[in-house]
Amino acid sequence: MELVGSPLTATYAHPRSTPTKFLPAISTMASSYKNRFPYYPLRQSFSLPWMPSAYYKAAAINPTLAPFSKSSQGLTSSKMLPFVSNRTNLFTWYTPDDWYRSNLTNYKESEVSRHNAERLRVDTSRMIQDKYQQTKKTQLESTKNLGERVNDIEFWRSELCHELDEMMGETNALTDMKKRLERALAETEAPLQVAQECLLHREKRMGIDLVHDNVEKQLFTEVDVIRSCQERMQQCLDTAKAQLASNRVAQHELERDLVNKQAAHRIDDKCHHLRNTSDGISYYRGVERVDATISVPESWAKFTDDNILCSQSERAASAKLRDNIENLLVVTANEMWRQFNGVNVAFTNRIAETADAKSKIQTHLAKTLQEIFQIEMNIEAIRKAIRDKGPPLKVAQTRLDERTRRPNVELCRDTAQLRLVNEVHEIDEMIQSLQQRLRDAEDTLQMLVRAKSVLEHDLAVKANSLFIDQEKCMGMRKTFPSTVRLVGYV
């Protein structure tokens, strides 16, 4: 057989002679896996990458399965394999001096490159630090200026808010009752909406709790009282509309200025808090050349100051119109407060009754849950007992199975055999009794679960009613307007 290839890829086969003995030794099998032919490692020069591609012919020896015999012991390694080390001609391109000079040149060039790179790094680091400090200083100055501007806007915004609140209060306090009566009328909308929402929420009660109780009756009465007060206020409100034109103009100017101040404050505050790591920053080429300003700080401050002075003069003119509606506001406020307190008392009593029923249900439910827990623990103990019977049953059955392999007359029905059979039957009976007890416990658990479900449903009904009355209804009724608000002072 001929194998053709290069020194990097060719493979060579070692010869094997014809076998003389095929069976291994009787005492051990160790000789069956020993090498049947000697091993000759290839020399390192055989795989040099600079060697030319060549073709070699292997020794024409057919390998066999026989061990290394006397017929192959007379061959030398040079006769069996054509090693590359036997060649006399090698091809080289450079001398050792060339090799050393090339290495020294590379070392020097590398050192010079590293020195230049190090100097460049130091200079670059210094320049980066200087530019960073300069940029940081400039940015800090801009941030400081923006902060001062935000403070100025905040001052005038607070002044506008204060004057607007005063103007709204004075408008509500006008004689001929317009603004104060209008605010009082608006304040009655919240109690009316609360009463209607309470009625709507109480319609969401479930089951037996959906009853027409005293709370619902009081809520209907409250709705009627509030609507009666609104009708009387509306009749008096129609006589005061002509007197508030100038107040509305002044208030409109204040509100518009306040909206502009809020928008400017939001924008400048956003700019003031922008940082290099903030989201939303981007490039806007040429934006520094755009001048969209229409005022200077002096004219900007004077505009707001004029609006405030105008509003103050209008408030002074409307101060003498405050006494015409006082009696009506006091009467309506007292009526609504009286009915509001009556509804709250009814809610408190109903909540106490529902909470007591819920507490009793929770007590029974807790006992049921405790019993369910005990039954579940019992079921788990039974299951564990059944699992624990598995290994002894396996041992007994394995013993019986192993004893069936006894030879001939050794298959004796002895005492051990009888005891093993009885042991298997006893363990089976134990498992059956435990499984029956497990089924009984599971049936009991199902009964407890059904009872728990009934209690939980009833508890959910009570909890829903309690949540509606205590959380939703009473939570909304905590925000009922005070007497001061009902008479229009706030």
Side-chain angles (χ1 to χ4, degrees):
M1 176 181 67
E2 290 187 357
L3 299 177
V4 181
S6 65
L8 293 177
T9 58
T11 57
Y12 302 92
H14 297 285
R16 295 179 182 177
S17 59
T18 306
T20 56
K21 294 181 180 180
F22 188 73
L23 295 176
I26 296 176
S27 61
T28 179
M29 294 295 292
S31 61
S32 62
Y33 55 81
K34 291 183 179 179
N35 293 332
R36 299 180 181 275
F37 51 85
Y39 172 70
Y40 297 96
L42 298 179
R43 297 183 181 180
Q44 184 177 4
S45 61
F46 187 68
S47 60
L48 292 177
W50 46 265
M51 292 182 62
S53 177
Y55 295 88
Y56 302 94
K57 292 185 179 180
I61 301 176
N62 296 326
T64 62
L65 299 176
F68 187 69
S69 60
K70 293 182 179 181
S71 60
S72 61
Q73 292 178 356
L75 297 175
T76 63
S77 61
S78 61
K79 292 181 181 181
M80 294 193 315
L81 296 174
F83 288 99
V84 179
S85 62
N86 293 332
R87 297 178 70 247
T88 59
N89 295 329
L90 298 175
F91 298 93
T92 59
W93 291 347
Y94 303 101
T95 64
D97 293 337
D98 295 336
W99 185 80
Y100 284 111
R101 282 194 299 271
S102 176
N103 289 340
L104 292 176
T105 301
N106 292 336
Y107 298 155
K108 291 180 180 180
E109 291 179 356
S110 175
E111 184 176 0
V112 172
S113 299
R114 291 196 307 273
H115 177 71
N116 294 335
E118 182 179 2
R119 185 172 59 186
L120 179 61
R121 284 190 297 103
V122 173
D123 295 341
T124 303
S125 177
R126 186 183 301 109
M127 184 182 68
I128 290 174
Q129 186 65 25
D130 294 341
K131 298 304 179 183
Y132 170 76
Q133 294 297 334
Q134 183 179 357
T135 304
K136 184 177 180 181
K137 180 181 178 182
T138 305
Q139 190 179 73
L140 288 176
E141 292 177 356
S142 299
T143 303
K144 179 181 177 182
N145 294 334
L146 285 172
E148 294 175 354
R149 180 62 177 177
V150 168
N151 292 334
D152 293 340
I153 296 175
E154 180 64 26
F155 168 76
W156 284 111
R157 189 179 69 168
S158 62
E159 291 295 325
L160 285 172
C161 290
H162 175 72
E163 181 59 31
L164 183 59
D165 291 340
E166 293 293 332
M167 186 60 187
M168 293 175 65
E170 186 62 31
T171 301
N172 294 332
L174 281 177
T175 50
D176 296 335
M177 74 191 108
K178 175 55 176 74
K179 200 60 181 181
R180 274 189 59 191
L181 189 58
E182 188 177 21
R183 183 176 293 274
L185 181 61
E187 290 293 339
T188 59
E189 291 295 333
L192 179 61
Q193 184 178 3
V194 167
Q196 291 174 343
E197 288 186 2
C198 288
L199 290 172
L200 181 63
H201 285 311
R202 286 177 62 81
E203 291 180 358
K204 298 178 182 179
R205 293 173 295 171
M206 300 182 298
I208 193 63
D209 283 8
L210 193 60
V211 296
H212 184 64
D213 50 7
N214 186 43
V215 175
E216 193 167 357
K217 296 177 182 178
Q218 293 294 330
L219 284 172
F220 279 120
T221 304
E222 184 179 20
V223 170
D224 295 337
V225 170
I226 295 175
R227 285 178 178 173
S228 176
C229 294
Q230 287 179 342
E231 291 176 0
R232 286 177 289 169
M233 289 180 183
Q234 188 64 40
Q235 291 174 0
C236 295
L237 185 61
D238 295 337
T239 62
K241 292 183 179 179
Q243 302 178 16
L244 297 174
S246 59
N247 286 20
R248 290 185 186 135
V249 172
Q251 181 177 342
H252 175 71
E253 293 297 330
L254 290 175
E255 289 176 347
R256 186 176 63 175
D257 197 4
L258 179 60
V259 169
N260 294 335
K261 290 292 187 294
Q262 289 175 344
H265 182 273
R266 183 174 61 254
I267 294 172
D268 284 349
D269 186 67
K270 177 182 178 182
C271 295
H272 179 253
H273 288 89
L274 281 179
R275 298 294 182 267
N276 296 333
T277 57
S278 300
D279 296 334
I281 60 176
S282 180
Y283 292 105
Y284 297 93
R285 300 296 183 184
V287 70
E288 68 279 0
R289 296 190 295 271
V290 178
D291 187 6
T293 59
I294 61 174
S295 65
V296 295
E298 291 78 10
S299 62
W300 172 77
K302 186 177 182 299
F303 178 80
T304 304
D305 187 58
D306 291 341
N307 288 335
I308 293 175
L309 290 176
C310 179
S311 176
Q312 289 175 351
S313 64
E314 293 297 335
R315 285 194 299 111
S318 63
K320 58 183 178 180
L321 303 176
R322 299 181 180 178
D323 297 330
N324 297 332
I325 61 169
E326 191 68 29
N327 293 332
L328 178 62
L329 293 176
V330 172
V331 170
T332 55
N334 291 335
E335 290 179 359
M336 288 186 290
W337 261 106
R338 191 181 305 112
Q339 185 59 33
F340 171 76
N341 292 330
V343 174
N344 286 349
V345 171
F347 263 117
T348 302
N349 295 335
R350 184 60 179 172
I351 288 171
E353 295 175 357
T354 308
D356 181 65
K358 180 183 175 183
S359 177
K360 292 179 180 179
I361 295 174
Q362 286 177 338
T363 301
H364 288 281
L365 181 60
K367 293 180 180 179
T368 304
L369 290 175
Q370 180 65 26
E371 189 62 30
I372 288 175
F373 175 75
Q374 297 295 336
I375 288 294
E376 288 177 347
M377 295 294 294
N378 190 17
I379 290 174
E380 185 61 29
I382 295 174
R383 289 174 179 172
K384 184 178 183 302
I386 293 174
R387 289 194 301 269
D388 293 342
K389 297 299 180 291
L393 182 60
K394 292 179 182 179
V395 170
Q397 292 179 348
T398 303
R399 287 173 175 175
L400 287 174
D401 182 72
E402 289 295 329
R403 288 175 63 85
T404 58
R405 296 181 178 86
R406 292 175 294 173
N408 299 327
V409 74
E410 295 301 325
L411 289 169
C412 178
R413 189 175 180 84
D414 51 7
T415 304
Q417 181 72 14
L418 295 175
R419 184 57 191 145
L420 286 173
V421 173
N422 291 333
E423 182 181 1
V424 171
H425 290 308
E426 290 175 359
I427 294 175
D428 285 337
E429 291 177 357
M430 294 177 187
I431 293 175
Q432 293 297 327
S433 62
L434 289 173
Q435 288 177 348
Q436 180 61 36
R437 184 56 56 87
L438 177 62
R439 287 191 291 270
D440 296 340
E442 289 176 348
D443 293 340
T444 304
L445 178 62
Q446 291 299 322
M447 294 176 60
L448 290 173
V449 169
R450 284 194 295 270
K452 179 179 75 69
S453 177
V454 173
L455 291 174
E456 287 178 345
H457 176 71
D458 197 9
L459 182 63
V461 171
K462 296 297 183 293
N464 178 65
S465 300
L466 193 61
F467 175 75
I468 290 173
D469 290 344
Q470 188 173 14
E471 300 295 333
K472 289 189 175 181
C473 295
M474 292 302 293
M476 291 187 299
R477 298 184 70 83
K478 292 179 181 179
T479 60
F480 192 85
S482 63
T483 304
V484 178
R485 295 180 66 89
L486 289 176
V487 296
Y489 284 113
V490 181

